[in-house]
């Protein structure tokens, strides 16, 4: 247990500053020849330099596993179809990649240690073994049956329509995320490694990692949609998940829509605003900038190209070409789930044949159905429905004599090679999902249709034939924005899908070629390597300032976050300020009111009798000049502090100043014409009428439009519009228009709390011939930062101007101040210490006078 005297010294030390490596597996190292190692070898031994390393974390490892029947041993191989394996192509050369995730295999507890060691040595994989009961609640219960539908815009209204929130499933989700954190900790070097977490299964994992390693370099990519705030806010654990995202350094989304919805949730629920700088979107979160990355994933070009040149693929193509001879093939490749729109696609196919008799017997829709990733009534219902519709269409338009069926099912699993063969013979691919995160089927189809010598021969392509492809894509999936040449459809509009199918069948070869070339150019240049390289570069950029700041961990449980502070930022201790206070004789004390001496949440803003007494004790010291510097008007300040005779007041951010209760109010700037209010008031009133929850606060020198009670998004939008509008109409007026937190303010030029500091220091210098030798300034919000900035500038100009300077903000947050106090009670406590020091000083002076008088009398008696 640490002694109490040590706690303040360690209070701002990050966990990373004294973290013990324990049993972590070290990075691989490379020996560079000719560099001195420091062991006295004269430069002949070389230096050891660790390789860069990326830790890729996903729900499942990119491995295939099976037990060999003859030896009864586990056999493993990389899954070349896994995105998490393919993305390593975008990392810098010599980068070591470690994978953390679950195995798609039931390994008994007695075998787990041996399997773990084998996978680490042979595959650089770290498995997280999950008990079957925990896995069922986590994956099938919370992830697939609760989170996944909501993220795809399906709310569970009743138990029959979907899984309702189950606290035990959430606990399982939390426990699994913690297990992942434990496994990552075993291999992580927090000073050098970059961690990249994938998808919605692990959204609170960043919180567990950030709590252990404050400076961890952490990225997250969401591969599913992120729902609108109206949907997301229905989650009972919405704050915990949102804060999990914000404990990352970089968050990736496939489309701007998904990112926009995330940013809207941050604004509505946490009050966070984002800004874009030089093309980068960032959220300021307790001193850290959380970067937002928008980039759709690509495909592994090498894998498709390799399959295209294989003879086995050519044989498959020849067989399919013979099977669908003289038929126009449209292709669908979908997982078996409720959001892929397979039934809607089949209805459109039936309507196409109903409306176009000439296409009957000529057009075939081949539907490859991948196995469902989960089980349940919803999957059974989808399977039953699509078979019913397919049977109906086939019975109505099929030709049993010739074997023609308009809809042909190919039930999975289907290998990538077989899918490439189907892509090669298809004139059109139809991706009709009602909601999907990305969907790479159109990309793979386009690359396949570019052909190869082997495929061209199998397809009977001649020298004059052109490459062609047509894509029908739902506007509700992630790949849609990047496919500008596709026929975009609303999958719920059966007529529109039918028309798109008809256009695809009748489109000229020239137009098909133009669309194909446009898509192939984009897809081939934005492959999976491009995607991961771009993300990795942005993650490095987002983490570059980690060691220029000091991190302070705050919050409990899943509400944990870190506050990033300047390395010199310290808690203002009594043992620091009281000695400085005692040894100085010309002191200036500047105090904000709301949020500093009065709690922001207090309904009654009137100062208490105890606070008035405290201020009078401070003002009673002849060495002190005490000022309250507030944004409030002069009337409430005069009323509240009228009993503090020697207290100075600065109202409306310094526009009015009063030195004591007997002195008149004076303006710190030249009197200005307030005629601009007649221009600003109608504009503000118009926006107030149009924005429910907003109101106008009129001061003598300023006008403020508040929108904290309005809808966050609409209020912010209106504030931007109002700012532009006011700046336009007040261009020629002597005012400044500023936007603050939930406000737009118009005030005279040259008015700020920073000007108050300059004015008071100049007045003291003129009256006493020198500047104060002790300066204490305490505030809590943005306007107080002007005071801190002014103090810093004075120190820069003349470092010896102040012997003791204490610029102090309230709360652990980024600030130009050097010190902080946690809250209002701590501010009052610190002022009590200063007042006590003044009281003792007075007592000492009185005791000294009494002793002098006694001694003087004694000497007179002796003389007599």
């Amino acid at each position: 247990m640490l002694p109490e005297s040590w706690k303040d010294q360690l209070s701002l030390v990050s966990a990373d500053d004294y973290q013990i490596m324990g049993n972590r597996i070290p990075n691989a190292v490379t020996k560079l020849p000719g560099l001195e190692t420091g062991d006295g070898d004269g430069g002949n031994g070389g230096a050891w330099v660790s390789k860069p390393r990326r830790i890729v974390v996903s729900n499942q490892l990119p491995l295939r596993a099976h037990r060999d029947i003859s030896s009864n041993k586990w056999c493993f191989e990389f899954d070349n179809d896994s995105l998490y394996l393919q993305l390593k192509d975008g990392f810098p050369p010599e980068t070591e990649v470690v994978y953390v995730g679950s195995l798609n295999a039931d390994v008994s507890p007695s075998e787990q240690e041996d399997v773990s060691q084998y996978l680490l040595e042979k595959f650089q994989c770290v498995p997280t073994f999950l008990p079957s009961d925990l896995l069922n609640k986590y994956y099938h219960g919370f992830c697939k049956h609760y989170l996944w539908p909501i993220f795809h815009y399906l709310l569970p209204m009743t138990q029959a329509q979907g899984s309702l929130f189950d606290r035990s499933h959430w606990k399982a989700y939390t426990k699994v995320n913690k297990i992942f954190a434990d496994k990552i900790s075993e291999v992580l070097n927090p000073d050098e490694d970059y961690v990249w977490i994938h998808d919605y299964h692990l959204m609170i994992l960043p919180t567990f990692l950030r709590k252990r390693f404050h400076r961890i370099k952490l990225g997250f990519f969401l591969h599913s949609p992120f729902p609108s705030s109206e949907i997301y806010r229905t989650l009972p654990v919405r704050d915990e998940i949102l804060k999990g995202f914000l404990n990352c350094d970089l968050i990736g989304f496939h489309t701007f829509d998904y990112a926009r919805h995330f940013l809207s949730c941050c604004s509505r629920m946490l009050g966070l605003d984002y800004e874009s700088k030089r093309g980068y979107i960032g959220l300021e979160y307790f001193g850290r900038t959380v970067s937002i990355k928008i980039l759709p994933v690509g495909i592994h070009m090498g894998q498709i190209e390799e399959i295209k040149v294989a003879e086995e693929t050519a044989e498959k193509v020849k067989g399919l070409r013979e099977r669908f001879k003289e038929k126009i093939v449209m292709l669908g490749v979908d997982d078996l789930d409720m959001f892929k729109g397979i039934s809607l696609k089949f209805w459109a196919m039936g309507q196409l044949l109903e409306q176009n008799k000439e296409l009957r017997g000529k057009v075939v829709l081949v539907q490859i159905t991948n196995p469902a990733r989960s089980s349940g009534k919803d999957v059974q219902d989808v399977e039953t429905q699509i078979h019913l519709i397919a049977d109906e269409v086939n019975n109505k338009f099929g030709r049993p004599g010739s074997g023609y069926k308009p809809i042909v099912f190919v039930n999975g699993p289907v290998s990538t090679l077989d899918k490439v063969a189907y892509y090669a013979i298809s004139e059109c691919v139809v991706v009709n999902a009602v909601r999907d995160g990305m969907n790479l089927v159109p990309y793979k189809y386009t690359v396949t249709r570019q052909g190869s010598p082997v495929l061209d021969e199998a397809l009977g392509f001649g020298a004059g034939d052109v490459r062609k492809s047509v894509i029908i894509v739902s506007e509700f999936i992630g790949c849609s924005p990047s496919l500008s040449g596709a026929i975009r459809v609303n999958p719920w509009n059966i007529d529109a899908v039918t028309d798109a199918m008809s256009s695809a069948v009748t489109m000229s070869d020239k137009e098909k070629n133009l669309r194909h070339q446009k898509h192939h150019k984009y897809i081939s240049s934005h492959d999976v390597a491009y995607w991961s390289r771009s993300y990795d570069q942005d993650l490095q950029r987002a983490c570059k300032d980690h060691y220029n700041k000091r991190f302070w961990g705050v919050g409990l449980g899943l509400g944990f976050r870190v506050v990033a502070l300047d390395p010199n930022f310290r808690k203002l201790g009594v043992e620091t300020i009281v000695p400085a206070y005692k040894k100085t004789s010309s002191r200036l004390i500047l105090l904000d009111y709301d949020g500093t001496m009065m709690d922001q949440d207090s309904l009654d803003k009137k100062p208490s009798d105890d606070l008035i007494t405290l201020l009078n004790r401070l003002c009673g010291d002849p060495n002190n000049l005490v000022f309250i510097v507030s944004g409030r008007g002069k009337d409430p300040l005069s009323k509240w502090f009228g009993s503090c005779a020697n207290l100075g007041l600065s109202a409306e951010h310094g526009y009015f100043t009063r030195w004591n209760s007997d002195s008149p109010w004076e303006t710190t700037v030249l009197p200005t014409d307030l005629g601009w209010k007649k221009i600003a008031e109608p504009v503000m009133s118009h926006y107030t009428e149009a924005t429910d929850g907003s109101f106008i606060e009129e001061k003598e020198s300023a006008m403020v439009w508040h929108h904290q009670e309005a809808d966050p998004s609409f209020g912010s939008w209106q504030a931007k519009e109002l700012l532009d509008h006011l700046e336009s109409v007040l261009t020629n007026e002597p005012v400044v228009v500023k936007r603050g937190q939930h406000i737009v303010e118009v005030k005279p030029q040259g008015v700020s709390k920073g000007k108050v500091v300059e004015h008071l220091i100049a007045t003291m210098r003129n009256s006493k011939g020198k500047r104060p030798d002790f300066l204490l300034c305490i505030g809590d919000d943005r306007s107080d930062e002007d005071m801190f900035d002014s103090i810093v500038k004075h120190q820069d100009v003349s470092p010896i101007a102040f012997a003791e300077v204490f610029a102090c903000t309230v709360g652990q947050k980024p600030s130009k101040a050097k010190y902080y106090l946690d809250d209002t009670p701590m501010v009052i406590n610190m002022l009590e210490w200063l007042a006590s020091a003044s009281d003792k000083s007075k007592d000492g002076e009185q005791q000294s006078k009494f002793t002098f008088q006694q001694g003087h009398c004694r000497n007179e008696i002796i003389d007599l």
Side-chain angles (χ1 to χ4, degrees):
M1 178 130 180
L2 289 173
E4 287 294 326
S5 60
W6 288 19
K7 289 185 177 179
D8 284 341
Q9 299 299 319
L10 289 176
S11 65
L12 273 174
V13 177
S14 164
D16 299 343
D17 294 333
Y18 52 86
Q19 185 76 42
I20 298 174
M21 289 296 291
N23 295 322
R24 293 196 199 115
I25 299 169
N27 293 40
V29 294
T30 301
K31 195 172 186 181
L32 300 182
L35 296 180
E36 188 172 339
T37 61
D39 57 3
D41 64 359
N44 295 323
W48 293 99
V49 179
S50 63
K51 287 184 178 181
R53 187 162 67 173
R54 306 292 184 265
I55 299 177
V56 178
V57 188
S58 56
N59 178 51
Q60 285 196 352
L61 291 169
L63 295 174
R64 291 192 178 102
H66 69 277
R67 191 185 288 276
D68 183 72
I69 299 176
S70 58
S71 64
N72 200 35
K73 291 184 178 180
W74 283 104
C75 299
F76 302 94
E77 62 179 350
F78 275 121
D79 181 3
N80 292 323
D81 292 332
S82 172
L83 171 68
Y84 310 124
L85 180 67
Q86 297 170 354
L87 61 79
K88 65 182 176 60
D89 290 358
F91 293 147
E94 301 298 319
T95 300
E96 179 188 2
V97 182
V98 177
Y99 300 95
V100 179
S102 299
L103 269 175
N104 190 19
D106 188 12
V107 180
S108 65
S110 61
E111 300 173 296
Q112 288 177 4
E113 185 174 348
D114 291 339
V115 169
S116 295
Q117 190 65 31
Y118 176 78
L119 292 180
L120 183 63
E121 292 176 357
K122 300 295 184 181
F123 297 95
Q124 289 289 91
C125 290
V126 179
T128 56
F129 297 107
L130 305 177
S132 58
D133 180 58
L134 181 64
L135 175 64
N136 185 60
K137 289 181 178 179
Y138 150 73
Y139 184 74
H140 297 289
F142 194 75
C143 291
K144 294 302 293 184
H145 285 153
Y146 182 70
L147 265 187
W148 188 72
I150 288 179
F151 273 51
H152 287 74
Y153 289 73
L154 179 64
L155 291 175
M157 304 300 293
T158 65
Q159 193 69 46
Q161 294 178 330
S163 296
L164 300 176
F165 178 78
D166 188 321
R167 182 65 62 176
S168 66
H169 292 172
W170 165 248
K171 289 181 178 178
Y173 184 84
T174 302
K175 187 172 182 178
V176 169
N177 276 250
K178 188 175 183 300
I179 290 173
F180 271 76
D182 294 338
K183 287 296 181 181
I184 294 169
S185 299
E186 293 178 7
V187 296
L188 176 68
N189 179 351
D191 294 331
E192 298 181 10
D193 297 343
Y194 289 84
V195 181
W196 188 358
I197 302 171
H198 291 268
D199 225 1
Y200 66 97
H201 314 88
L202 303 169
M203 291 187 293
I204 59 174
L205 174 58
T207 297
F208 290 114
L209 292 174
R210 185 68 68 186
K211 191 170 187 178
R212 299 183 190 187
F213 313 103
H214 292 353
R215 289 192 177 92
I216 188 172
K217 302 165 184 174
L218 191 56
F220 186 97
F221 201 97
L222 184 67
H223 294 275
S224 77
F226 194 94
S228 65
S229 61
E230 288 76 12
I231 299 292
Y232 180 82
R233 283 186 292 165
T234 63
L235 285 170
V237 289
R238 61 191 189 183
D239 286 352
E240 291 89 336
I241 292 175
L242 209 57
K243 290 174 181 177
F245 276 102
L246 293 171
N247 273 316
C248 297
D249 297 296
L250 178 65
I251 307 169
F253 299 94
H254 286 306
T255 72
F256 175 70
D257 276 350
Y258 304 161
R260 177 169 56 85
H261 293 156
F262 171 77
L263 294 170
S264 175
C265 288
C266 290
S267 174
R268 288 176 176 272
M269 279 170 264
L270 301 178
L272 301 177
D273 292 324
Y274 73 92
E275 59 181 357
S276 181
K277 290 183 179 179
R278 297 181 179 179
Y280 297 107
I281 300 175
L283 279 165
E284 288 299 320
Y285 187 61
F286 292 97
R288 295 170 49 246
T289 300
V290 181
S291 298
I292 306 299
K293 176 76 172 176
I294 302 168
L295 185 66
V297 69
I299 63 171
H300 194 282
M301 293 290 294
Q303 182 191 29
I304 304 296
E305 295 293 346
E306 185 177 346
I307 294 174
K308 281 163 53 177
V309 299
E311 289 295 335
E312 184 181 356
T313 308
E315 292 302 318
K316 292 277 186 181
V317 169
K318 290 177 182 177
L320 291 174
R321 189 181 174 205
E322 181 62 29
R323 178 182 175 186
F324 298 105
K325 189 176 182 179
E326 298 180 354
K327 299 290 190 299
I328 300 172
V329 178
M330 294 190 292
L331 179 66
V333 182
D334 301 284
D335 293 343
L336 185 61
D337 69 54
M338 68 183 84
F339 296 108
K340 293 302 185 284
I342 299 175
S343 59
L344 300 174
K345 188 189 310 181
F346 287 179
W347 271 324
M349 180 64 180
Q351 187 165 301
L352 175 71
L353 298 178
E354 182 73 42
Q355 297 175 356
N356 300 274
K357 296 181 179 180
E358 69 280 5
L359 296 180
R360 299 172 188 174
K362 294 182 179 180
V363 178
V364 176
L365 174 60
V366 177
Q367 179 63 51
I368 298 176
T369 308
N370 300 320
R373 300 184 185 184
S374 186
S375 59
K377 185 177 181 299
D378 56 335
V379 175
Q380 296 171 1
D381 290 345
V382 169
E383 188 172 16
T384 300
Q385 184 183 37
I386 62 177
H387 278 93
L388 284 174
I389 299 171
D391 290 342
E392 180 182 338
V393 173
N394 285 338
N395 291 336
K396 186 174 184 179
F397 299 108
R399 297 177 180 177
S402 63
Y404 169 70
K405 287 185 177 181
I407 299 176
V408 177
F409 267 112
V410 180
N411 292 318
V414 178
S415 68
T416 303
L417 186 146
D418 286 343
K419 289 177 183 176
V420 168
Y422 276 102
Y423 293 145
I425 67 161
S426 301
E427 284 294 310
C428 171
V429 69
V430 185
V431 183
N432 203 51
V434 297
R435 190 74 63 179
D436 206 354
M438 183 60 194
N439 202 309
L440 296 175
V441 168
Y443 287 21
K444 296 174 181 178
Y445 166 72
T446 300
V447 173
T448 301
R449 293 288 289 181
Q450 184 66 12
S452 70
V454 174
L455 279 185
D456 290 350
E457 182 180 350
L459 291 167
F461 262 47
D465 291 330
V466 296
R467 308 294 177 189
K468 54 185 180 178
S469 63
V470 181
I471 298 170
I472 298 174
V473 63
S474 165
E475 62 190 58
F476 300 119
I477 64 177
C479 66
S480 177
S482 60
L483 297 171
S484 57
I487 303 175
R488 296 194 182 99
V489 295
N490 174 2
W492 300 101
N493 188 341
I494 305 300
D495 292 338
V497 179
T498 300
D499 292 343
M501 288 180 170
S502 178
S503 297
V505 171
T506 58
M507 188 180 295
S508 67
D509 287 351
K510 181 179 180 181
E511 186 174 352
K512 290 179 181 179
N513 173 253
L514 290 174
R515 293 173 183 263
H516 170 80
Q517 296 300 339
K518 190 174 189 178
H519 290 155
H520 187 264
K521 181 179 179 181
Y522 172 83
I523 294 167
S524 59
S525 61
H526 291 73
D527 61 354
V528 67
Y530 172 88
W531 172 74
S532 62
R533 180 168 55 252
S534 178
Y535 186 93
D536 188 65
Q537 289 170 351
D538 276 9
L539 180 57
Q540 293 180 57
R541 177 189 56 78
C543 300
K544 66 180 181 180
D545 291 332
H546 273 18
Y547 287 91
N548 294 331
K549 295 183 178 180
R550 190 171 290 272
F551 289 86
W552 172 286
V554 295
L556 300 174
L558 295 177
F560 177 86
R561 70 268 186 196
V562 294
V563 180
L565 306 171
D566 186 272
N568 297 319
F569 197 61
R570 288 288 183 273
K571 190 172 185 177
L572 183 55
V574 172
E575 69 281 1
T576 302
I577 192 171
V578 170
Y581 183 85
K582 288 181 177 179
K583 70 180 183 181
T584 51
S585 59
S586 179
R587 311 184 192 108
L588 176 60
I589 300 175
L590 304 176
L591 304 170
D592 175 46
Y593 183 65
D594 293 281
T596 300
M597 290 188 296
M598 175 59 63
D599 196 303
Q600 288 281 20
D601 296 330
S602 176
L603 296 178
D604 184 6
K605 298 298 184 179
K606 181 181 178 182
S608 65
D609 292 341
D610 290 340
L611 180 56
I612 295 295
T613 301
L614 173 60
L615 291 172
N616 277 326
R617 289 166 62 195
L618 287 170
C619 295
D621 190 326
N623 295 325
N624 292 347
L625 176 61
V626 184
F627 254 82
I628 287 181
V629 185
S630 173
R632 287 186 175 273
K634 62 182 184 179
D635 291 339
L637 293 180
S638 298
K639 181 179 178 181
W640 290 346
F641 298 103
S643 58
C644 298
N646 295 321
L647 178 66
L649 297 176
S650 184
E652 298 191 18
H653 298 300
Y655 185 80
F656 295 106
T657 299
R658 190 181 77 178
W659 290 87
N660 53 55
S661 60
D662 295 328
S663 65
W665 286 96
E666 58 187 47
T667 57
T668 55
V669 297
L670 293 175
T672 57
D673 180 11
L674 299 179
W676 56 265
K677 284 189 174 183
K678 296 180 180 179
I679 303 173
E681 194 276 334
V683 176
M684 285 189 171
S685 295
H686 171 72
Y687 281 84
T688 303
E689 292 173 6
T691 312
D692 189 30
S694 65
F695 64 93
I696 300 171
E697 177 190 6
E698 184 166 357
K699 304 176 182 179
E700 287 191 45
S701 67
M703 294 186 70
V704 187
W705 187 76
H706 296 262
H707 63 92
Q708 61 263 35
E709 300 299 328
D711 176 88
S713 296
F714 185 58
S716 179
W717 182 25
Q718 290 287 78
K720 292 177 183 177
E721 291 293 321
L722 176 59
L723 181 71
D724 291 342
H725 197 158
L726 288 172
E727 285 180 339
S728 175
V729 299
L730 298 173
T731 301
N732 298 320
E733 301 295 328
V735 296
V736 291
V737 185
K738 294 181 67 175
R739 187 179 175 198
Q741 187 171 9
H742 305 305
I743 66 165
V744 175
E745 182 176 21
V746 186
K747 60 183 180 180
Q749 292 175 350
V751 176
S752 74
K753 288 188 177 183
K755 297 292 185 181
V756 175
V757 175
E758 296 174 6
H759 175 63
L760 294 178
I761 292 173
T763 302
M764 290 184 71
R765 182 182 57 197
N766 294 336
S767 62
K768 296 185 179 182
K770 64 176 182 178
R771 295 185 182 186
D773 54 8
F774 176 95
L775 176 59
L776 171 63
C777 180
I778 311 177
D780 74 302
D781 63 15
R782 293 181 184 179
S783 63
D784 300 312
E785 292 295 318
D786 291 337
M787 290 198 288
F788 304 147
D789 188 45
S790 180
I791 292 170
V792 170
K793 289 178 179 177
H794 271 277
Q795 287 180 291
D796 290 340
V797 173
S798 179
I800 61 173
F802 309 106
E804 302 290 347
V805 177
F806 300 94
C808 179
T809 188
V810 180
Q812 303 164 30
K813 59 179 182 290
S815 173
K816 294 175 183 176
K818 186 178 179 180
Y819 297 95
Y820 77 93
L821 289 169
D822 286 327
D823 48 30
T824 297
M826 289 198 71
V827 173
I828 301 300
N829 181 64
M830 190 269 296
L831 294 176
E832 285 280 2
W833 277 93
L834 299 185
S836 297
S838 288
D839 294 340
K840 290 179 181 179
S841 176
K842 292 178 186 176
D843 293 341
E845 290 177 4
Q846 292 174 358
Q847 182 64 34
S848 175
K849 291 178 181 178
F850 179 71
T851 303
F852 171 78
Q853 290 170 354
Q854 281 186 322
H856 182 69
C857 292
R858 189 180 299 113
N859 290 337
E860 287 181 345
I861 292 172
I862 292 172
D863 289 341
L864 290 172

